[in-house]
Structure formats: C-alpha cells, structure tokens
Amino acid sequence: MKTIPINQLLPGMFVQNVTKQTGKIKIKNQGWVKTQTGIDKLIKAGILEVEIDPDKTIVDPSTEHTCDEIIDDTPKQRDPWLTANSVEQEMHKANRLYTEAKQLQSKAFTDIKAGNTIDIAPFKELANGFIDSVFRNQDALACITRMREKDTYLLEHSINVSILISIFAKHLGFEKDLIEELATGALLHDIGKIQIPDEILNKPGKLTEQEYKVIQDHALFSKQILEKAGLTGIAVDIAGFHHERLDGSGYPFGKPANEINQYVRMASIVDVYDALTAERVYKAGMEPIKAFKILKDGCPDSFDGELLTKFIQCIGIHPVGTLVKLSSQKVGLVTKSNPASPLKPQVKTFYHAKHARYTEVQDIDLAHSRNQDALEGAVKPADFNIDLIRFFKHSILP
C-alpha cells in the first residue's frame, strides 16, 4: 500500500481508503479511479490524501468498478424541534416507557438492598427507548415529567433527569450513542441513595451537619455501584460527580471547574432543576421560572451559565406540562413549546378559574394571529383544587 496526495492520483489507480480530508467523506467502495472527472469530484469533496494499491493499477479502468461515487458523511444540522409524531400519537408510548422505568428502578433498588449487582443492560435499553421517543416528539415525555406524585420522588427524579438530559442533548445536536450514555448515567445517578438511611433520606425538616455529610455519600455510592456493575465513562461521571460545583464547593470530591466535564455540568443543571420543581410530601414543587432564577443565581460559581441558557431555550420558559392560566381565566397544560415566541405556547385548557369548574377540553395555540388570549403565567393545581394527575391520565393520555 502507498499513501499519496490527491493531486498525484491518476486514472487507473486503485483507491483503498481515504486517509486525509477536510470533511467526513467516505468513498462508497474501494476501486479504480475511472476518469479525471472522478478525481476532481474527490478533490471538490475535500479529499486531501488517499491510500492506493500500486499493484492493482491498470491501463484501462473503464471496464472495472470505480470509487468515483462518494458518500458525504458530514453531520447535518438537525432541527431540534422537528417531530415525527404528534403529542397525541406519542403520549401512549411515552407513558408506557415511564411506567416501565419506575418498575425497573424499583427492581434495581431491591437488588442493591439484597447485595446483588444490578444489570445495566435493561437501563441502556430503557435509555434508548427514551431517546427514540424524544426524537419522535419530545413533548410527550416532557409532559409526563411534570405530572409528579409526592410519594414517588426517589423513583421519578432519576427518570425525569434522564428524560430531560436526553431532550437537552438532542437540542445541542449530540449523536444518539452519546445521548445513550448521558441518559443511562442519569437514570442511575441517584442509585446510591438506596444505601442512605430512610430517616435521613426522607427527613422533612432541615438536616443536621452530620446528616448532611451522610447524605452526601450517595454520589460516591452511586459511582461505586455502577463501576461494580461494569459501567464506565460518562455514565459513571454523571453518577459520581453531579453534585460537584464549578467553584470547588460541591461534593463528594470538591472538584474544580477544570475537572468537571460538559456532560456532568449538564447533569448538575438538570438534576437541580428537577429537584426544585418536584412535588414532595413536605414541600410544594417550585414553578419552573423560579427554578431557573435560582439556577441563574448560581452562575458562574456553581453552574455553567452558557449551558443553563441553552437548557432554558431547550425546554422553554413555561415547559411542556406546566399548568398555566390565560387572560380569559381558562386554566390548562402547556402541550407544545414555541421556541420562536416562548410566551405563546400551545395550551390544552380544561378548567375555568373564575367559575371554578371543569370545562370542555380545548386546544389553544397562543401564537395564532386570530387568538386574543394571552398567557398570564404558571399556576399550581392546589390553587384551583385540581387533581392534575387524574385529569392528565383521563383527558390527555389516549
């Protein structure tokens, strides 16, 4: 074999491989260069250097198969808002995935309590299910993450972080293999909490200094559990380091900013966002916009400001699944974000605040020119005595 610059390539030479280029071009197959036109095509595609087999050079290449055809493998810019399914089409699949995820998490907790090593394969499979759903229509799973149940936080939190980081990574244009690692790590990032005593983990009041030190160990336990199960790389980093902060004040290792990679920085933002907006037995969930403010106040000491801005752009000021009130006093759920005009999402209304009664379900696109309604802001189900979980399951799920 011999490597030559593209300007030395001649008709009749057998091209084995592309060795140097400016893009990510692949030749469709190995073969003889048939004409100068074929060579010009390779040059135009950014090929700088090729590997040839001198022993296969022929005088008349016209009768042989050639490598004139090329495949442009350069990544195309994806539209992060592109959907293949409607929310209604995707919702049933998304709900089934979420149910399976809670069952899998519960089994993993049982296995760890019994001293067994967890099986990582089902978590990777589930992560891929999330990713496929997110690419079909991210709003379905995003909506489900907002339908919290107070007594299932430990199960739902990791699932929600996995879904949200998948949506975030898709928005940033990551490839699916990388998103799988992020989603798997997020699904398992709090698995070490199963080794924290329940009286500390579920304590409604303020933790003592000693109790806080105990609960900090969960990140280290998560890292150890995943390493024991054979997981490595980004997923383990997310589990072990998601509580590290850029100024070195985080735990369990107090890592400085230069030791905290982009993926862990993403996970720390999503982890805190979901925790702040979660309904707990002892506290109400915070409105997303207030959670964003707290995260912004933590920049740049704790969180990466540039990534936070992209995360907010990704899920919207009023994320899908947020309960909102309109100027008409109608109350409904945000069912689709509007990146071009974040204050004008699509809303599914089902309640009238002034009359305090349920209404016929109606889909309202606030961006529509003929629609005079406006979004007043996010509200809480308790403000209107709304059982949002029940409504969601009976009126939105197909």
Side-chain angles (χ1 to χ4, degrees), residues 113 193-194 196-203:
K113 281 185 175 179
K193 282 186 176 178
I194 202 65
I196 304 298
D198 287 343
E199 59 270 22
I200 295 177
L201 190 63
N202 300 316
K203 183 179 178 179

Side-chain angles (χ1 to χ4, degrees), residues 277-295:
T277 55
E279 291 284 333
R280 305 292 297 273
V281 173
Y282 52 85
K283 81 168 186 71
M286 189 178 293
E287 294 171 15
I289 199 163
K290 292 182 179 179
F292 292 148
K293 184 181 185 305
I294 289 176
L295 284 162

Side-chain angles (χ1 to χ4, degrees), residues 153 157-158 161 189-193 201 212 214-222 236-256 260 263-273 275 301-303:
Y153 175 77
H157 173 62
S158 292
V161 173
H189 80 283
D190 268 351
I191 198 76
K193 282 186 176 178
L201 190 63
Y212 187 60
V214 171
I215 208 164
Q216 285 180 337
D217 287 336
H218 82 270
L220 180 60
F221 293 154
S222 293
V236 173
D237 286 349
I238 287 174
F241 309 142
H242 64 278
H243 282 292
E244 300 293 344
R245 298 294 179 255
L246 301 183
D247 61 0
S249 65
Y251 64 85
F253 303 104
K255 286 180 171 290
I260 303 175
Y263 313 120
V264 172
R265 295 181 186 208
M266 291 169 63
S268 67
I269 289 170
V270 177
D271 176 64
V272 172
Y273 168 79
D301 293 341
S302 296
F303 307 107

Side-chain angles (χ1 to χ4, degrees), residues 25 52 70 106 161 169 175-176 189 269 282 299 319 322 324 328 340 381-382:
I25 304 300
I52 65 168
I70 57 174
S106 183
V161 173
E175 294 299 320
K176 285 189 176 181
H189 80 283
I269 289 170
Y282 52 85
C299 299
T322 302
V324 294
S328 62

Side-chain angles (χ1 to χ4, degrees), residues 1 56 74 84 110 144 191 195 201 254 264 287 296 313 333 339 358 377:
M1 298 299 172
K56 293 184 178 179
T74 305
T110 301
I144 293 174
I191 198 76
Q195 296 183 356
L201 190 63
V264 172
E287 294 171 15
K296 275 189 170 295
Q313 291 170 346
L333 285 177
Y358 285 88

